[in-house]
Amino acid sequence: MAVRRIRTLGDPVLRQRALAVADFDAPLRRLVADLSETLADADGAGLAAPQIGVGLRVFVYRVLDEASPAFGTIRHLVNPVLVEQAESQIEDEEGCLSIPGVSYPLARPERVVASGFDCHGEPLRVEGTERLARCIAHETDHLDGVLFIDRLDTERRTLREIRELVLDGEMVRVRVSPHQPLM
Ligand SMILES: [Zn+2]
């Protein structure tokens, strides 16, 4: 296992649609282990394979766990599909390990159900509400090259457009209020 470098905004891998996992083999289990270790190291809520430069449909996420109340437990999902999304939405602060230092309120379904597989190819079904629902939706978006800033309203999206001006994969930090006109 290894802590891998987390790719940040401007890295093209974050904008590519990830491929479905076909082989539930040892390299997949290593990928899940690396994702888990990298998520733990970053103290995040979730991490998708493209965020460590791997274009496969896999993510890990952290759930509360009474056995480990301080940190919780990291679980994974391979080839996830959102099979149910509640119409009712909750707005909450959302961020991303690939866009450090930025968070915005964003509405997401208050409940989602995802189906997929574990790293041995066994079918899994995950139901999440509130923060977990948000996390599952956010990580599934990553597998389609979608970032949470894409889902912000138009006013806040101007910030995204500025931030997408990147050189050599380096994120350009531009301090602009999301409520301020550009010109
Ligand atoms: Zn993210």
Side-chain angles (χ1 to χ4, degrees), residues 46-48 51 94-99 138-139 142 146-148:
L47 189 67
Q51 293 181 274
E94 186 163 327
C96 178
L97 291 172
S98 291
I99 314 173
H138 177 116
E139 300 311 326
H142 269 300
V146 174
L147 300 173
F148 86 98

